[in-house]
Every structure is written in C-alpha cells, then in structure tokens.
Amino acid sequence: MNEYKWLIKRIVFVGLVIFLGFILQSTVFSELKLAGVSPNILLIITTFFGFMRGRKEGMITGFFCGLINDIFYGIHFGAFTLIYMLIGYLNGFFRKIFFGDDIKLPMLWVGLSDILYGFIMYAIFYLPRGRNDAYYYIMNIIFPEAVYTILVSLALYFIVYKLNEWLEKSEKRSESNLVR
Amino acid sequence: MNRKGSGIPSRYILAMLSIVCIVLLFTSYAADFSAGPIQFVANYVFVPMQKGLNFVGNSISVNSSDAKSRAELVAENESLNAQVAELTSQITNMQLQQSELYELQKLFKLDQQYGEYEKVGAHVIAKSTNNWFDTFTIDKGADDGIKIDMNVMADSGLVGIVTDVGPGYAVVRSIIDDSSNVGGMVLNSADNCIISGGLQLMNESGQMAFHNLEDLEDNVAVGDAIVTSNISNKYMPGILIGYISSIENDANNLTKSGTLTPVADFKHLQYVLVVMETKETGL
C-alpha cells in the first residue's frame, strides 16, 4: 500500500493543478485579454510537468489537459488531446538539461511550445478552410499569445516548481522508509 | 522516474494514447459523438467553480471598461441625444405602419409575428480556452430544457447556437466564430445571403462578412438590417443579426458581398437569451 501512496499523492496534486488551471483560464484569464489574446495556462502546465517530470508524466498531463479542452470547447473530439499530449511528450526530452534555479530555459520551452501549438492550430483548423493569410495570424495571435503565456508562466513557475520539489522530497522520504 | 521506468517505455504509451485519440477523432467525426458520460463529471466538477470565478473575471473587465474620460462621455451623450430624437420620430412613423400592417395581416390571417419566440435567460459563465475559436459556456443545460441547435440571442440580436449540452451547462458557438456560417436575409428586400464569422475581420474592425447576396435590382444599401433567413436550416427566421456597413459587387457581377456590424456586443457578453425552439425543416 505504501508504494502507491506517493503515486496517489502525485495524481491528486497534478489533478488539482490542471483543475485550477482550467478554471482560471476559462473564467478570469479569458476576460483579461491583452492585445486580443488570452494566455494558455493548460499549455504552461503541460510544459512544466514535461520538463520537470519527464516524457511519461508530461504526456499524461498533456492528455488530460487536452481532454478537458475537448470536452468543453473541442471542434473534433480528440484533436486537442493529441496536440497537448505531443507537446507534453516533446518537453519530456528537456528533463535531462533542466535545472530548477535557472529560469531562462524553462521560459524558452514554454514559448516554443506555445508557438508550436499555435502553428498546429492554424495548420489543422484554419488553413484547410482557406484562411491563407498566415502572416496575420502569426503576428496577431500566435506571437502575442506566446508572449503573454511566457509572462504568466513566470509567475506560475515558482509556485509549481516549489510544490513539485516539496512533493519529490516527500516521495524520497517515503522511499527511504520503505528501504528501512 | 526510475521507479516507474520499470513499466512500459514511454514511447509505447505515446503510441497507444495517440491511437486512442485518432480513433476518437474518427468516431466523433463520423458519428457526431460528443463527450457523453464525461460531461457529467464536467458538470459537477467544473461548472460550479466557473460560475463563482467568472464573477471575478467579469467585475475586472467591467472596471477596466468603466474608465472613459469626461470629454468622451459628453461627446457621446450629445450624439446619443441627437440619435434619440431621430429615433423617436422614426418610432412614431413605424407605429403607424405597424398598426396598418397588423390590420392587413389580420385580413390575410398571417398574424404569426417574427421574433416572438419563447426565451430563457442564462448567464455566460466561461469562455473558450483558446484564441482561435469563439465559444462560451452558459449556466443552463438539458435540465432546463436546452437542446442542441437552439439559437442564442443578446441585445436583441443573434449571438450564436448551442452546440453541446450537459445536464447543467451548455456550450454556445457564437456567430463571429471563424467556422460559423448563418443563412441571412436583407430585411427590406428579402434577398438571401450567407453571413460568415471571421477572426481577422472581427479583430480588425468588429465586423462580419456576408456574401452570395443576389440583388440584381440594387435594392440593398448600406445601413439595411440583415436578419436570419426563413430558409436557414438551423436558425429561426427573423432574428436580427446586424446592419450592413459596406457592400460591393462580386467579380461575377451576379452576387454582392460586403461587411455588416453585428448588433450584439460580443466583447461584453454576460447575459444571453436562449430561444426555446429548434427549427423544424422536415428534412
């Protein structure tokens, strides 16, 4: 039973973060628009867990973030799930070069992930319907959203990082208890 | 991760979950399937929180829009006063015509009036989590009798259509959404056209595009009202959409296209009315 305790703890923690992220994004942040765009909190969460915890957890976090998007605001059920999952998985590769106290690289990854997300959205939902003016969408949606998302992720980073650190510590403790 | 690493390698999980997603995509595309049982979870977990928190968001956005300068307000007041005078005279004219119309309609036994649908009010509790599509959630759902394809109005104009219903919430796709198309009709001349939402046009000028307007006699002019068409297959007839702000001939010289300004204020939607009827087309 003790072996699974950390797992349950982690599921509850990640679940809570996703839950709060979605609630905030769909209510408060969708009203706080800057330059016509709102930040993508669920993408930040997916990216964070990707490079903090590795491919597998990034992927699973992304899966559920995308699933919530699909349930509420999906166009074709499953599309968001796939995009977010891939982004979580890709960020998992950065885990090897991730060191907590350096903030520049995580911000870069969040920005790149959001730009990637924007391009995929444009390519699968807009381009097939004859919206050819890619420059407009890049300059007015994809880039502003990436900048705004990076700004918000600056604030979120330390909260999620500290909580994750605390959780990892308690996981290690329970592991050493197990050895004893 | 080493503890978990003893399980299946992550790329296999990725492949598995991707296949699940793709299967979901195809089934939802082919069978028009929506979230189903997961909606119940969504209903009891997310919607109550959104209701509370959206109040915070709304009050912030209202506060920031309050900040208009005094000079602006005075100027606006003057122009509005002029408009009131003009509109009052128009109303008296209209009332005369209305009574005449009413008499004639009684004569023809055509007394079914447009726009007299039964409506239910609902609050907007959350908005789309992406910047590409314009959808929002309202706090009434299947339990209140809301069904898919019901029309949604605000400020006496068309706002959108219900695309997804849960027990206590419903998702509405607004007409300014990039993928939205509405069958419209010019009120004066009864010429049909198609009104499409577009993100680019809406962001740049707050307008929507209309096209395929057949107006060979040049009856349609800037300022004419466009309402939902009686031959639209999902929208109830006679709901006001907006007023024409520009119009031009197409290259084929048979149809016209242009832009219209919607009457509903899509930036500050807080309270909407759901029309409690769906269109029966017999198809």
Side-chain angles (χ1 to χ4, degrees):
Chain A
M1 195 56 222
N2 223 348
E3 302 160 50
Y4 292 106
K5 225 173 186 176
W6 70 272
L7 186 66
I8 294 167
K9 237 183 189 171
R10 184 146 277 280
I11 290 174
V12 170
F13 170 63
V14 179
L16 261 178
V17 171
I18 297 177
F19 172 74
L20 287 177
F22 177 74
I23 299 280
L24 282 178
Q25 190 176 348
S26 62
T27 56
V28 179
F29 280 102
S30 66
E31 300 284 352
L32 284 175
K33 284 195 170 180
L34 286 183
V37 293
S38 46
N40 198 337
I41 313 276
L42 287 179
L43 194 89
I44 297 177
I45 292 167
T46 307
T47 316
F48 278 179
F49 282 107
F51 62 69
M52 280 180 190
R53 302 287 303 171
R55 275 170 288 176
K56 205 180 278 182
E57 280 198 32
M59 180 170 70
I60 293 168
T61 312
F63 182 84
F64 284 105
C65 286
L67 195 67
I68 296 176
N69 263 325
D70 266 333
I71 293 171
F72 278 95
Y73 305 112
I75 315 298
H76 303 305
F77 198 90
F80 279 116
T81 315
L82 200 58
I83 298 171
Y84 277 78
M85 190 171 72
L86 277 174
I87 287 174
Y89 184 78
L90 288 178
N91 273 287
F93 285 105
F94 295 133
R95 191 178 185 228
K96 289 188 186 113
I97 48 168
F98 167 69
F99 302 100
D101 33 357
D102 180 27
I103 197 165
K104 289 187 292 296
L105 278 176
M107 294 307 106
L108 181 72
W109 296 328
V110 168
L112 286 179
S113 303
D114 198 66
I115 289 171
L116 175 70
Y117 160 84
F119 274 110
I120 298 178
M121 289 293 287
Y122 175 70
I124 63 174
F125 290 125
Y126 270 54
L127 208 52
R129 288 184 295 108
R131 305 279 195 253
N132 294 323
D133 191 1
Y135 181 75
Y136 175 84
Y137 295 103
I138 292 170
M139 294 313 286
N140 286 281
I141 298 195
I142 298 179
F143 278 175
E145 184 190 311
V147 172
Y148 198 176
T149 304
I150 291 175
L151 286 180
V152 173
S153 74
L154 272 173
L156 284 180
Y157 178 73
F158 289 105
I159 302 169
V160 177
Y161 179 66
K162 286 282 176 242
L163 282 172
N164 184 55
E165 208 176 33
W166 168 77
L167 208 65
E168 268 174 3
K169 228 175 251 167
S170 80
E171 275 162 20
K172 281 213 184 84
R173 214 177 302 126
S174 70
E175 199 179 42
S176 60
N177 281 346
L178 217 67
V179 175
R180 198 151 26 87
Chain B
M1 285 310 278
N2 285 337
R3 284 170 300 187
K4 262 176 117 183
S6 54
I8 320 157
S10 55
R11 59 178 179 278
Y12 292 129
I13 305 184
L14 179 75
M16 244 158 51
L17 287 177
S18 302
I19 291 168
V20 169
C21 286
I22 291 165
V23 168
L24 274 175
L25 262 173
F26 274 103
T27 43
S28 69
Y29 194 69
D32 208 19
F33 136 98
S34 82
I38 320 174
Q39 275 182 343
F40 285 85
V41 183
N43 189 47
Y44 296 112
V45 178
F46 289 103
V47 173
M49 285 287 284
Q50 284 174 328
K51 279 183 195 170
L53 259 179
N54 191 53
F55 177 72
V56 181
N58 275 339
S59 52
I60 293 168
S61 75
V62 166
N63 281 341
S64 59
S65 67
D66 273 349
K68 261 190 183 170
S69 78
R70 193 172 160 272
E72 270 178 339
L73 286 175
V74 170
E76 196 179 279
N77 193 24
E78 269 172 24
S79 70
L80 285 177
N81 271 333
Q83 213 180 350
V84 165
E86 191 190 328
L87 289 177
T88 323
S89 69
Q90 256 182 40
I91 283 176
T92 34
N93 256 335
M94 288 292 176
Q95 273 170 346
L96 283 174
Q97 285 175 9
Q98 181 90 48
S99 58
E100 194 186 335
L101 179 74
Y102 183 69
E103 291 300 315
L104 289 173
Q105 272 178 340
K106 247 195 338 203
L107 232 55
F108 276 107
K109 295 197 168 59
L110 258 177
D111 52 354
Q112 177 215 354
Q113 286 273 331
Y114 282 139
E116 286 185 355
Y117 306 116
E118 190 200 335
K119 300 183 202 99
V120 162
H123 287 278
V124 176
I125 54 167
K127 283 176 186 158
S128 163
T129 49
N130 59 69
N131 292 314
W132 298 90
F133 293 101
D134 206 307
T135 48
F136 56 88
T137 316
I138 56 174
D139 64 350
K140 295 261 166 79
D143 294 347
D144 308 285
I146 305 234
K147 294 189 198 93
I148 287 181
D149 283 348
M150 280 179 174
N151 298 171
V152 179
M153 298 167 65
D155 308 334
S156 74
L158 183 67
V159 164
I161 192 162
V162 175
T163 54
D164 206 355
V165 175
Y169 75 95
V171 178
V172 179
R173 189 185 68 210
S174 67
I175 53 169
I176 58 167
D177 181 280
D178 204 80
S179 60
S180 155
N181 282 306
V182 184
M185 176 175 85
V186 179
L187 192 59
N188 299 344
S189 65
D191 290 319
N192 285 304
C193 60
I194 295 170
I195 295 146
S196 341
L199 185 78
Q200 189 173 352
L201 192 59
M202 197 66 209
N203 275 353
E204 280 172 352
S205 57
Q207 290 171 337
M208 297 170 67
F210 71 87
H211 46 89
N212 283 25
L213 174 71
E214 284 185 44
D215 171 35
L216 295 173
E217 291 104 32
D218 281 336
N219 289 327
V220 182
V222 169
D224 282 357
I226 291 191
V227 298
T228 46
S229 162
N230 47 351
I231 56 167
S232 163
N233 55 3
K234 281 189 177 166
Y235 291 91
M236 306 299 288
I239 303 175
L240 184 62
I241 299 174
Y243 297 98
I244 296 180
S245 47
S246 75
I247 182 166
E248 57 191 33
N249 276 319
D250 283 340
N252 60 16
N253 249 339
L254 289 170
T255 56
K256 292 182 177 180
S257 56
T259 56
L260 72 149
T261 312
V263 279
D265 181 4
F266 289 93
K267 283 231 167 86
H268 307 102
L269 277 185
Q270 288 187 21
Y271 189 73
V272 292
L273 297 166
V274 185
V275 177
M276 299 302 279
E277 284 174 65
T278 50
K279 186 132 174 181
E280 302 284 342
T281 50
L283 292 175

